[in-house]
Amino acid sequence: MDAAAERTVTAFRDAVNMRPRELERWLATDASQEVGQKKGGGESTGHASGRRVVTLLRTRKGDLTEDDVAHMREVVSYVRRHRAQSPSGDARDSPWRYSLMNWGHDPLRNS
């Protein structure tokens, strides 16, 4: 794994602050399935990403493919971009938070 991929893996591990089992439970909720952009009325992009994040969290670093690292980069970018769009007021039950959680990041958690 080259240095850029190593940095991506580290950034992914920093951005994703939900454990695999916790993320799986979240993805099974109605709230999770109701947020995000849906193409053709199916599963949202974020929800599909969350399922892949669960797999990536359970994959050993040495077993990651280039495609895996590319998805990790996408997750890091999404989390950074959407964290910057934090709504004013209580975000606890907001679509903003739920969307981030679909990508494996709970913005109300410190780490």
Side-chain angles (χ1 to χ4, degrees):
M1 182 173 292
D2 67 15
E6 290 276 357
R7 285 191 300 274
T8 297
V9 170
T10 298
F12 174 81
R13 301 281 180 194
D14 290 343
V16 174
N17 64 4
M18 297 174 74
R19 291 185 172 87
R21 175 167 279 183
E22 176 185 21
L23 181 51
E24 283 176 322
R25 282 193 304 267
W26 164 251
L27 292 170
T29 67
D30 289 340
S32 167
Q33 296 175 34
E34 291 172 1
V35 297
Q37 294 181 346
K38 297 175 175 89
K39 295 179 182 171
E43 182 180 33
S44 74
T45 303
H47 197 271
S49 176
R51 288 185 301 101
R52 181 141 186 217
V53 166
V54 168
T55 300
L56 292 172
L57 289 171
R58 291 182 171 145
T59 302
R60 290 186 299 195
K61 188 164 69 168
D63 294 334
L64 294 170
T65 66
E66 287 181 29
D67 192 49
D68 292 336
V69 173
H71 190 74
M72 289 175 150
R73 195 176 306 105
E74 184 180 345
V75 170
V76 170
S77 176
Y78 181 89
V79 169
R80 287 179 180 163
R81 201 169 52 248
H82 285 271
R83 287 276 314 188
Q85 299 170 0
S86 175
S88 60
D90 185 11
R92 185 166 310 281
D93 295 315
S94 69
W96 172 81
R97 178 183 180 219
Y98 293 168
S99 183
L100 278 164
M101 288 174 68
N102 277 354
W103 289 77
H105 179 82
D106 185 346
L108 301 184
R109 184 175 296 165
N110 290 332
S111 57

